[in-house]
Amino acid sequence: MKETVINILEEVELNQPIFIEALPGIGHVGKLAADHIIEELGAVKLAEIYSPSFPPQVLVDEDGIIENMKNELHYLKSAGEDKKDYLILVGNTQGLSPEGQYELCGLILDLVEKYGAKELYTLGGLATGQPVETCAVFSAATNKELAKNLEQHEVTLRSADGGIIGASGLLLGMGSLRGMEGVCLMGETPGYFIDAEAAKALLTVLMSLLNLEVDTESLEERARETRKMISKAQQMEQEMIDRTAMPPGEEDLRYIG
Amino acid sequence: MKETVINILEEVELNQPIFIEALPGIGHVGKLAADHIIEELGAVKLAEIYSPSFPPQVLVDEDGIIENMKNELHYLKSAGEDKKDYLILVGNTQGLSPEGQYELCGLILDLVEKYGAKELYTLGGLATGQPVETCAVFSAATNKELAKNLEQHEVTLRSADGGIIGASGLLLGMGSLRGMEGVCLMGETPGYFIDAEAAKALLTVLMSLLNLEVDTESLEERARETRKMISKAQQMEQEMIDRTAMPPGEEDLRYIG
Amino acid sequence: MKETVINILEEVELNQPIFIEALPGIGHVGKLAADHIIEELGAVKLAEIYSPSFPPQVLVDEDGIIENMKNELHYLKSAGEDKKDYLILVGNTQGLSPEGQYELCGLILDLVEKYGAKELYTLGGLATGQPVETCAVFSAATNKELAKNLEQHEVTLRSADGGIIGASGLLLGMGSLRGMEGVCLMGETPGYFIDAEAAKALLTVLMSLLNLEVDTESLEERARETRKMISKAQQMEQEMIDRTAMPPGEEDLRYIG
Amino acid sequence: MKETVINILEEVELNQPIFIEALPGIGHVGKLAADHIIEELGAVKLAEIYSPSFPPQVLVDEDGIIENMKNELHYLKSAGEDKKDYLILVGNTQGLSPEGQYELCGLILDLVEKYGAKELYTLGGLATGQPVETCAVFSAATNKELAKNLEQHEVTLRSADGGIIGASGLLLGMGSLRGMEGVCLMGETPGYFIDAEAAKALLTVLMSLLNLEVDTESLEERARETRKMISKAQQMEQEMIDRTAMPPGEEDLRYIG
């Protein structure tokens, strides 16, 4: 596989869909929020994306079944006839290399543009590195009108206080170059655990911005499950990380034919 | 060389070959087992694979002869007429970059698919980082039926306890996307030495799964030889690793024309 | 986006323009000087350059508006009819990978060559790592005549004392291979803060070399503003750097689908 | 520049030239020896090679003139009519990425093959990391006959004691795949300084193998000059290395547009 592959699973027409992105990142904040919307509102998987820029590995699920690294695009039809539909991008990874990130974000924007998306919301976490009392939601936008509107929704505009790294930033930036407008919402989080509180705060703001309604009750339970899976995984992960951090061991093996 | 090169050494027709992969990895477990099968059962080399994604170097053997970094595909005919044949992939390296791994695994799957392979077994080690009393064999599969079958063969199914990094994981994942089904077997090993015990445990499970018979007697001797070669190599390796870890020294030289 | 994109904003004819490059580097020295020329003398933006070799991120400005990573080419017409015009390259980033740097520098040279540029000045800082009493300006050139001329302008010629890394060096080197001649000017700077003094010394030499006149009064104020923005950004930056430096955290999240 | 560029400077016909490679590496050993042959015997520059896989920078020479990163191929005609000529590859750098090394070595082999080269000698250093009393010369070969012949020339054959990293190994390995045969000679060296003694030992073996005669008297002086240049360069180098090792500083600057 030398090129990114996009498998479209279903033909569908959407009404000016609003594009929401929440690939894995700091504190799992955006991903928790988006996975929750998809499950609670029954969004339908529309496309699977596989890329040579993803980590060269598979995951193992609870049943011992392997799972490819991938991104997935879901759609969600709105109740009202005139209301905009939704496209939601989630997944278990992001591109590894800068070039890979640029290529993937370009392909993803090509895809959502074909469905008529002109508006995008990217979701992430903003790590404080310290315990957070009340979880604030930070944001940035592609234009001043959107930025002004955000201030009416319990959102703190960021101000020359750094960048937005990865797909959440890049989709917004590359989207704006092709006439799409949007917002990045970032839930304040310590950053070192799966943060349901931050995801809830983020979701609350997103619902108010989009006039969506999602029950956030079960969000804490979802976070708890995710935490359990991760803590089970951590011993394994640690080894793998160690293996990557300690090439000598691997090198030894690699030198003998 | 900008592209991966595959040299086919012989024309051969195979009966629904089962594809076994065992490229170098943790504790040399998979490689020891597969090299043992190839030698004991007289598998025949079918193809050599060279790639710009391999480390830019050669190895030196006991006679001072250099050896290219490569992967090699062997085939093994079965005794019975109706029985499936085997394709076995071994080598002295894996691809270095994520993109390289994806490209190589794709090309390798193209190749074994051409011979009719639909079933694959990838072999590796699972590092505990600690001494191992009785060597367990862990596994993951591409579907539930295979996973269930594994439990009848003294194999512990992994459960959301991390991923499978490198060719053993990626071949399984990318294979499943094109309709191939299979299993990854991982011998439990401390991970920091050539582990014949783990290879033996792995081989025993593999033989029981495939109805193959291989004498494992000489496996410990093979491991001993490999250990000797590696310990001879280690002083050299260490320098090379140091050189990589300490670019300053190299940089100095590089700056003067 | 798999390829670098250059958006030309305006058609313009220039008289043998002198090409000045000042992308971000050590101590912000070159960038401060070039941004100052652009603002004080009213240079006009001519082209925007976006590249998959740039960092995969966006910046956030004071108003919460995102800003893409990019390079920008400005032009400046001269007063006299016979006098040479100017092309000035600035931006908020450089290419990340070696291959990216070579590709970008080649494309930029193609572009300025089309406008007739044959002479180039690249601006940077030379880090001492220690406090600097009086800021010297160091230089290197593509030929001996230019080097000799530099010595008449309060410039210290460098002498086999290392290389020039990044766009400032590479544009000069690759330019010389296609018949362009030029000079790299480097303001001596401690290197760990935004250095208006070094930028002023650099600008003074550049003006004397080019017979340009720019008021350097407000340069210190520009540096002060830049420092303020950066110190606001630093807490954020630190986290992001930490995040990059600590893959374990990210890895954890990445493994759970 | 997206592709490697090879500029041929002169048309020349050569008699079965022996290809000698000595790009920068450990202890400057191979490079010192090859530069010495070129100067003492008056080899003529035949081609210049520029590549996007080289470091993105230029060097500055003693006169403040910049110098591109490059490889250079020289030829040397033999005295006798029937005697083989020589092709000698030197330069100020090697490719940085694995893929770059493979591509460059492939292109270089294409080039020397066109002149009829079938035999190659690659020169390097073998680092001990400790002071060396009497400098041994180690070697490896592409076949057993060559290896056997080496043992008659005061050369120690290496034996499964590690690999040969970089162009010296890769040219030999990739060369052997296209029917070229050859030898890698490595002068034993502590590895952390410019080692004229190791270069002299290497050169003595090479001359005996090739029936070449070169006065090694001035080799120590050449080493002394190189050391002087490098020690002048080192303070500068250190900063540059620090800069690379400490992205935070660069990052700060990179984030402010």
Side-chain angles (χ1 to χ4, degrees):
Chain A
M1 180 158 72
K2 289 197 81 166
E3 302 283 330
T4 295
V5 171
I6 299 179
N7 294 336
I8 305 290
L9 307 173
E10 182 182 333
E11 291 229 356
V12 67
E13 293 216 353
L14 299 173
N15 182 24
Q16 301 172 57
I18 292 167
F19 174 40
I20 300 169
E21 174 273 345
L23 295 175
I26 297 174
H28 238 22
V29 178
K31 184 171 161 49
L32 263 180
D35 283 350
H36 191 71
I37 296 175
I38 289 171
E39 194 149 317
E40 290 290 318
L41 302 186
V44 181
K45 187 155 71 170
L46 175 57
E48 287 176 340
I49 303 172
Y50 302 95
S51 171
S53 305
F54 289 159
Q57 64 185 38
V58 291
L59 306 181
V60 181
D61 75 11
E62 314 93 86
D63 303 320
I65 308 301
I66 59 127
E67 181 184 296
N68 276 285
M69 306 313 291
K70 65 186 164 194
N71 289 352
E72 296 181 331
L73 189 67
H74 295 72
Y75 71 87
L76 181 66
K77 291 269 192 186
S78 291
E81 196 155 300
D82 296 350
K83 281 189 67 185
K84 293 173 176 172
D85 296 326
Y86 300 95
L87 279 168
I88 309 172
L89 183 75
V90 291
N92 54 19
T93 189
Q94 294 200 12
L96 284 181
S97 66
E99 287 81 4
Q101 283 272 24
Y102 273 94
E103 194 213 348
L104 274 161
C105 288
L107 292 173
I108 288 163
L109 289 171
D110 288 350
L111 183 61
V112 300
E113 229 178 8
K114 254 182 21 195
Y115 291 104
K118 281 177 185 157
E119 206 176 322
L120 74 164
Y121 290 78
T122 66
L123 311 183
L126 192 66
T128 58
Q130 294 169 352
V132 171
E133 294 257 335
T134 330
C135 172
V137 174
F138 290 88
S139 69
T142 54
N143 65 46
K144 289 197 182 178
E145 206 178 332
L146 280 172
K148 210 171 155 187
N149 180 47
L150 282 168
E151 294 187 308
Q152 293 159 17
H153 290 270
E154 306 254 349
V155 171
T156 311
L157 266 190
R158 289 178 61 182
S159 174
D161 61 355
I164 305 169
I165 296 177
S168 285
L170 206 52
L171 284 170
L172 220 52
M174 290 177 69
S176 74
L177 290 178
R178 37 173 108 191
M180 294 171 78
E181 303 291 343
V183 158
C184 179
L185 297 175
M186 291 153 275
E188 194 182 20
T189 173
Y192 42 75
F193 63 88
I194 306 304
D195 193 343
E197 282 311 306
K200 199 170 171 179
L202 188 69
L203 203 50
T204 308
V205 168
L206 187 69
M207 290 187 298
S208 123
L209 281 163
L210 299 182
N211 291 318
L212 264 179
E213 268 183 55
V214 186
D215 183 8
T216 61
E217 202 71 355
S218 57
L219 198 53
E220 175 51 40
E221 196 190 345
R222 182 182 307 278
R224 219 176 304 129
E225 269 171 42
T226 313
R227 269 183 224 124
K228 208 168 60 190
M229 280 167 64
I230 283 185
S231 100
K232 259 179 87 177
Q234 242 152 12
Q235 199 189 333
M236 254 36 180
E237 301 300 305
Q238 200 47 53
E239 287 156 32
M240 276 178 270
I241 287 151
D242 292 350
R243 180 152 53 119
T244 312
M246 299 195 306
E250 275 235 308
E251 290 297 289
D252 285 352
L253 303 183
R254 195 177 287 146
Y255 280 98
I256 303 305
Chain B
M1 181 158 73
K2 289 198 80 166
E3 302 282 331
T4 294
V5 171
I6 299 179
N7 294 335
I8 305 291
L9 308 174
E10 181 183 333
E11 292 229 354
V12 67
E13 293 217 352
L14 299 172
N15 182 24
Q16 300 173 57
I18 293 168
F19 174 41
I20 300 169
E21 174 274 343
L23 295 175
I26 297 174
H28 238 22
V29 178
K31 182 170 162 50
L32 263 180
D35 284 349
H36 191 70
I37 297 175
I38 289 171
E39 193 149 318
E40 291 288 320
L41 302 186
V44 180
K45 187 154 72 171
L46 176 57
E48 287 176 342
I49 304 172
Y50 303 94
S51 171
S53 304
F54 289 159
Q57 64 185 38
V58 292
L59 306 181
V60 180
D61 75 11
E62 315 93 87
D63 302 319
I65 309 301
I66 60 128
E67 181 186 294
N68 276 285
M69 306 314 291
K70 66 185 164 199
N71 289 352
E72 296 180 332
L73 189 66
H74 296 72
Y75 71 88
L76 181 66
K77 290 267 190 189
S78 292
E81 198 154 294
D82 295 351
K83 281 189 64 183
K84 293 173 177 173
D85 297 325
Y86 300 95
L87 280 169
I88 309 170
L89 183 74
V90 291
N92 53 20
T93 190
Q94 294 199 13
L96 285 181
S97 65
E99 287 82 4
Q101 283 272 26
Y102 274 94
E103 194 212 350
L104 273 161
C105 288
L107 292 173
I108 287 163
L109 290 171
D110 288 348
L111 183 60
V112 300
E113 229 178 10
K114 252 180 26 192
Y115 291 104
K118 281 177 184 158
E119 205 175 322
L120 73 165
Y121 290 79
T122 66
L123 312 182
L126 192 66
T128 59
Q130 294 170 351
V132 171
E133 294 256 338
T134 330
C135 172
V137 174
F138 290 90
S139 69
T142 55
N143 65 47
K144 290 198 181 175
E145 205 178 332
L146 280 172
K148 209 170 157 189
N149 180 48
L150 282 168
E151 294 186 309
Q152 293 158 17
H153 290 270
E154 308 254 349
V155 171
T156 312
L157 266 191
R158 290 178 60 182
S159 175
D161 61 355
I164 304 170
I165 297 177
S168 285
L170 205 53
L171 285 169
L172 221 51
M174 292 176 68
S176 74
L177 290 177
R178 37 174 107 192
M180 295 170 79
E181 302 291 342
V183 159
C184 179
L185 298 175
M186 291 153 275
E188 192 183 21
T189 174
Y192 42 75
F193 63 89
I194 304 305
D195 194 343
E197 282 311 307
K200 201 168 168 178
L202 187 68
L203 203 51
T204 308
V205 168
L206 186 68
M207 289 186 299
S208 124
L209 281 163
L210 299 183
N211 291 319
L212 262 180
E213 268 182 55
V214 186
D215 183 8
T216 62
E217 201 70 354
S218 58
L219 197 54
E220 175 51 42
E221 195 190 345
R222 183 182 308 279
R224 219 177 303 128
E225 269 170 43
T226 315
R227 268 184 224 123
K228 208 168 59 189
M229 279 168 63
I230 283 184
S231 100
K232 259 179 87 178
Q234 239 152 13
Q235 198 189 336
M236 254 36 180
E237 300 303 304
Q238 201 45 55
E239 288 156 33
M240 276 178 269
I241 287 150
D242 293 352
R243 181 152 52 117
T244 312
M246 300 195 303
E250 274 236 306
E251 290 297 289
D252 286 353
L253 303 183
R254 195 176 287 145
Y255 281 99
I256 303 305
Chain C
M1 181 158 71
K2 288 197 81 166
E3 301 283 331
T4 295
V5 172
I6 299 179
N7 294 334
I8 306 289
L9 307 174
E10 181 182 335
E11 292 228 356
V12 67
E13 293 216 352
L14 298 173
N15 182 25
Q16 301 171 56
I18 293 167
F19 174 40
I20 300 168
E21 174 273 345
L23 295 175
I26 297 173
H28 238 23
V29 178
K31 184 171 159 51
L32 261 181
D35 283 350
H36 191 70
I37 296 175
I38 289 170
E39 192 149 317
E40 291 289 318
L41 302 186
V44 181
K45 187 154 71 171
L46 174 58
E48 286 177 341
I49 303 172
Y50 303 95
S51 172
S53 304
F54 289 158
Q57 63 185 38
V58 292
L59 307 181
V60 180
D61 74 12
E62 313 94 87
D63 302 321
I65 308 302
I66 60 126
E67 181 185 298
N68 276 285
M69 305 314 289
K70 65 184 165 197
N71 289 354
E72 295 181 332
L73 188 66
H74 295 73
Y75 71 89
L76 180 67
K77 290 270 192 185
S78 292
E81 197 155 294
D82 295 350
K83 284 188 65 183
K84 293 172 176 172
D85 296 326
Y86 301 95
L87 279 169
I88 309 171
L89 182 75
V90 291
N92 54 20
T93 190
Q94 294 198 15
L96 285 181
S97 66
E99 287 81 6
Q101 282 272 23
Y102 274 93
E103 194 213 349
L104 273 162
C105 288
L107 292 173
I108 288 163
L109 289 171
D110 287 349
L111 183 61
V112 300
E113 228 178 9
K114 253 182 22 194
Y115 291 104
K118 281 176 185 157
E119 207 175 321
L120 73 164
Y121 291 78
T122 67
L123 311 183
L126 191 66
T128 60
Q130 294 169 352
V132 170
E133 293 257 335
T134 331
C135 171
V137 174
F138 289 89
S139 70
T142 55
N143 65 47
K144 289 197 181 176
E145 206 178 331
L146 280 171
K148 209 170 155 188
N149 180 48
L150 282 168
E151 295 188 307
Q152 294 160 14
H153 289 272
E154 306 253 347
V155 171
T156 310
L157 266 191
R158 290 178 60 181
S159 174
D161 61 354
I164 305 171
I165 296 177
S168 286
L170 206 52
L171 285 170
L172 220 52
M174 292 177 68
S176 75
L177 290 177
R178 39 173 107 191
M180 295 171 78
E181 303 292 342
V183 159
C184 178
L185 298 174
M186 292 152 273
E188 193 183 20
T189 172
Y192 41 74
F193 64 89
I194 304 304
D195 193 343
E197 282 311 306
K200 200 169 171 179
L202 187 69
L203 203 51
T204 307
V205 168
L206 186 69
M207 290 187 298
S208 124
L209 280 163
L210 300 182
N211 291 317
L212 263 180
E213 270 182 51
V214 186
D215 183 9
T216 60
E217 203 69 355
S218 58
L219 197 53
E220 175 52 40
E221 196 190 344
R222 183 182 307 279
R224 220 177 301 130
E225 270 171 40
T226 313
R227 270 184 223 121
K228 208 168 60 191
M229 279 168 64
I230 283 184
S231 100
K232 260 179 85 176
Q234 241 150 11
Q235 200 191 334
M236 254 36 181
E237 301 301 304
Q238 200 48 51
E239 287 156 32
M240 276 179 269
I241 288 152
D242 292 351
R243 178 153 54 118
T244 312
M246 300 194 306
E250 275 235 307
E251 290 297 289
D252 285 353
L253 303 183
R254 195 177 285 145
Y255 280 98
I256 304 307
Chain D
M1 181 158 74
K2 289 197 81 167
E3 301 283 330
T4 294
V5 171
I6 299 180
N7 294 334
I8 306 290
L9 307 174
E10 182 183 332
E11 291 229 355
V12 68
E13 294 216 352
L14 299 172
N15 182 25
Q16 300 171 57
I18 293 166
F19 174 40
I20 300 168
E21 175 274 343
L23 295 175
I26 296 174
H28 237 24
V29 177
K31 182 170 162 50
L32 262 180
D35 284 350
H36 191 70
I37 296 175
I38 289 171
E39 193 149 318
E40 291 289 319
L41 302 185
V44 181
K45 187 155 72 171
L46 174 57
E48 287 177 341
I49 303 172
Y50 303 94
S51 172
S53 304
F54 289 159
Q57 62 184 40
V58 292
L59 307 181
V60 180
D61 74 12
E62 313 95 88
D63 302 320
I65 309 302
I66 59 126
E67 180 185 296
N68 276 285
M69 306 314 290
K70 66 184 163 197
N71 290 353
E72 295 180 332
L73 189 67
H74 296 72
Y75 71 88
L76 181 67
K77 290 269 191 186
S78 292
E81 198 154 293
D82 294 351
K83 283 189 63 183
K84 293 174 176 172
D85 296 325
Y86 300 95
L87 279 169
I88 309 170
L89 183 73
V90 291
N92 53 20
T93 190
Q94 294 199 13
L96 285 181
S97 66
E99 287 82 4
Q101 283 272 26
Y102 274 94
E103 194 213 350
L104 273 161
C105 288
L107 292 173
I108 287 163
L109 289 171
D110 288 348
L111 184 60
V112 300
E113 228 177 11
K114 251 181 26 193
Y115 291 105
K118 279 176 185 157
E119 206 176 319
L120 73 164
Y121 292 78
T122 66
L123 311 183
L126 191 67
T128 60
Q130 294 169 352
V132 170
E133 294 257 337
T134 331
C135 172
V137 174
F138 290 89
S139 69
T142 55
N143 66 46
K144 289 197 182 176
E145 205 178 331
L146 280 172
K148 209 170 156 188
N149 179 48
L150 282 167
E151 295 188 306
Q152 294 160 14
H153 289 272
E154 307 253 351
V155 171
T156 312
L157 266 190
R158 291 178 60 181
S159 175
D161 61 354
I164 305 171
I165 297 177
S168 285
L170 205 53
L171 285 169
L172 221 51
M174 293 177 69
S176 74
L177 290 177
R178 38 173 107 192
M180 294 170 79
E181 302 292 342
V183 159
C184 179
L185 298 174
M186 291 152 274
E188 192 184 21
T189 173
Y192 43 74
F193 63 90
I194 304 305
D195 194 342
E197 282 311 306
K200 201 168 169 177
L202 186 69
L203 203 50
T204 307
V205 169
L206 187 69
M207 289 186 300
S208 124
L209 281 163
L210 298 182
N211 291 318
L212 261 179
E213 269 183 53
V214 185
D215 183 9
T216 61
E217 201 69 356
S218 57
L219 197 55
E220 175 51 41
E221 196 190 345
R222 183 182 308 279
R224 219 176 303 128
E225 269 171 42
T226 314
R227 270 184 222 122
K228 209 168 60 189
M229 278 168 65
I230 283 184
S231 99
K232 262 178 85 174
Q234 240 151 11
Q235 198 190 334
M236 254 37 180
E237 301 302 303
Q238 201 45 53
E239 289 156 33
M240 276 179 270
I241 289 151
D242 293 351
R243 180 153 53 118
T244 311
M246 300 195 304
E250 274 236 306
E251 290 297 289
D252 286 352
L253 303 184
R254 195 177 285 145
Y255 280 99
I256 304 304

